[in-house]
Amino acid sequence: MSCIRQRPRQMDIRKGVVSLATGAGAVYLLYKAIKAGIKCQQPFCSASPICIARLAIERERHGRDSGELRRLLNSLECKQDAYTKSMILHSITRCVYLLESEASGCTNDDVTLVGSMLDDKDNSVKIQALNTLKAFSGIRKFRLKIQEHSIKVLELISTIWDSELHIAGLRLLNNFPLPDFVHPQLRRVMPALMEILQSDYILAQVQAIRLLSSLAQKNDLLYDILNCQVHCNFLNLFQSTQPGSLLFEVLVFAERLSEGRSSPHYRAVKWHYNKQSLHEALFGDDSRLADRLLALVIHPEEDVQIQACKVIVSLQCPQDAGIRPSCPPSHSCFNNGE
């Protein structure tokens, strides 16, 4: 009987011990969580998009600068590790997009400071710096200063095989007209641009083809593009299985090349191309481009259909065909049946 009476008391004691243990464990876990939170706390509140959005709203509401962008730029001048620099640059990029008034109040020295980050050893810092420069390039007064970094950006794209860096660099270059003094460097990096175009990373391919399409309209660069060496399977870029966004840009590129090589200015010179050149892949006697184009005329996406037809027309009729009674058959990649 005494044993039976003691059991509830023993159970109460055990419950108390368990409660104490659980409480102590909870306190310990809470301590560890707080300690870890202090250690891992991001150095800048502005790393959070919500924080920057609040700053932007606050600024609009009260009509005054938050000072956040200036504080970040000042922090970038201090010696920081690679992770911190990347976070600062990422936050500056967001501020430039969200705090237009403060961004417009920045100076060329601020842009130069960001541009100096392109020399950092860490690729993540380079990528964030490229993104920040692109953000600043949306402000007209900074474009000339940012153009000064064009050669450095081309050097990074051509010497570092990193898809994210390629995307960031090419997006920047596609955001403003490239000055003429960059053309010699463009000739040197043309093979690298062509390699990016033939890679398997869609976003990088689209940015590369957009830049090449723009350069194809420059008379002094057209031959360098057409004579650039390509892979034997280059025409795979015209397959209907490719994403529509890439197909459309490739077709625009082909149209501009076709128009360029058919212009009186270009035809006034007898050009010689190597056997593995882009010219031979697209316009050579053994090219199968015509077959690929005809297949794209029935592509599900209307933009691709229309652009494929434009390329066909440009191949059949040179640009100066308007002064002739008809398009000579010798200039067409299509036979009469096609």
Side-chain angles (χ1 to χ4, degrees):
M1 188 73 177
S2 60
C3 293
I4 296 174
R5 289 177 180 175
Q6 287 177 356
R7 281 180 184 174
R9 186 177 178 183
Q10 289 174 352
M11 290 177 66
D12 291 340
I13 293 171
R14 288 175 183 172
K15 285 181 181 179
V17 171
V18 171
S19 298
L20 286 171
T22 305
V27 171
Y28 176 69
L29 290 174
L30 181 61
Y31 162 74
K32 286 194 70 176
I34 293 172
K35 186 178 179 182
I38 293 172
K39 284 185 177 180
C40 299
Q41 187 176 7
Q42 292 182 349
F44 300 98
C45 167
S46 55
S48 165
I50 296 175
C51 179
I52 296 177
R54 285 175 179 169
L55 287 171
I57 294 170
E58 192 71 16
R59 171 192 166 278
E60 293 295 331
R61 183 178 297 172
H62 298 287
R64 63 172 184 268
D65 289 350
S66 66
E68 176 69 5
L69 183 53
R70 176 52 51 196
R71 185 175 71 82
L72 288 165
L73 287 164
N74 291 339
S75 300
L76 195 60
E77 292 180 333
C78 304
K79 187 176 181 180
Q80 310 279 5
D81 59 68
Y83 173 77
T84 304
K85 280 189 282 190
S86 294
M87 292 302 298
I88 295 172
L89 287 165
H90 182 68
S91 299
I92 291 173
T93 301
R94 290 183 177 278
C95 280
V96 172
Y97 284 126
L98 290 172
L99 308 175
E100 294 180 12
S101 177
E102 291 185 41
S104 298
C106 291
T107 66
N108 282 335
D109 290 338
D110 296 323
V111 174
T112 300
L113 173 63
V114 173
S116 68
M117 297 294 110
L118 297 177
D119 293 317
D120 196 272
K121 295 180 180 179
D122 192 278
N123 280 355
S124 64
V125 175
K126 292 186 179 78
I127 292 168
Q128 293 302 331
L130 290 167
N131 291 335
T132 306
L133 288 173
K134 180 180 179 296
F136 273 117
S137 70
I139 302 172
R140 185 179 298 274
K141 72 174 186 176
F142 294 132
R143 287 183 182 174
L144 286 177
K145 176 57 65 174
I146 294 172
Q147 282 180 346
E148 295 176 7
H149 298 283
S150 299
I151 292 178
K152 178 63 179 181
V153 175
L154 287 168
E155 178 190 328
L156 294 176
I157 291 172
S158 61
T159 57
I160 301 174
W161 195 256
D162 183 298
S163 296
E164 295 301 321
L165 187 143
H166 291 163
I167 294 168
L170 290 166
R171 278 178 174 166
L172 172 60
L173 296 176
N174 283 326
N175 213 40
F176 54 81
L178 291 177
D180 290 344
F181 69 80
V182 182
H183 287 195
Q185 178 71 2
L186 282 167
R187 290 188 182 92
R188 287 191 287 271
V189 305
M190 206 67 75
L193 293 175
M194 207 62 71
E195 282 297 321
I196 296 172
L197 171 58
Q198 296 169 97
S199 67
D200 295 325
Y201 204 89
I202 301 298
L203 294 177
Q205 288 176 285
V206 169
Q207 294 301 322
I209 198 74
R210 284 178 181 171
L211 179 59
L212 287 167
S213 291
S214 174
L215 300 179
Q217 296 175 297
K218 307 288 184 181
N219 288 332
D220 60 326
L221 293 175
L222 181 57
Y223 174 72
D224 298 277
I225 295 173
L226 285 170
N227 197 42
C228 197
Q229 186 169 330
V230 297
H231 300 170
C232 60
N233 62 348
F234 182 83
L235 288 183
N236 285 352
L237 289 170
F238 292 84
Q239 285 184 336
S240 58
T241 53
Q242 296 283 5
S245 59
L246 178 60
L247 263 177
F248 176 79
E249 297 293 346
V250 169
L251 289 166
V252 170
F253 181 46
E255 181 190 15
R256 289 181 178 174
L257 290 175
S258 178
E259 290 175 347
R261 67 186 282 271
S262 300
S263 67
H265 179 273
Y266 194 78
R267 290 166 59 194
V269 179
K270 186 172 179 62
W271 304 99
H272 298 279
Y273 306 96
N274 67 66
K275 293 182 179 179
Q276 289 79 39
S277 67
L278 175 62
H279 179 276
E280 293 304 297
L282 294 180
F283 312 117
D285 294 335
D286 297 326
S287 174
R288 304 302 301 170
L289 177 62
D291 297 334
R292 299 296 170 88
L293 292 174
L294 290 172
L296 292 178
V297 170
I298 57 172
H299 191 273
E301 297 186 31
E302 186 178 356
D303 288 347
V304 174
Q305 292 179 16
I306 294 172
Q307 194 57 46
C309 291
K310 287 182 178 180
V311 180
I312 292 172
V313 171
S314 71
L315 289 172
Q316 288 183 314
C317 300
Q319 273 193 326
D320 61 341
I323 63 173
R324 303 184 181 189
S326 62
C327 298
S330 59
H331 292 289
S332 176
C333 292
F334 298 84
N335 59 40
N336 293 332
E338 292 172 328

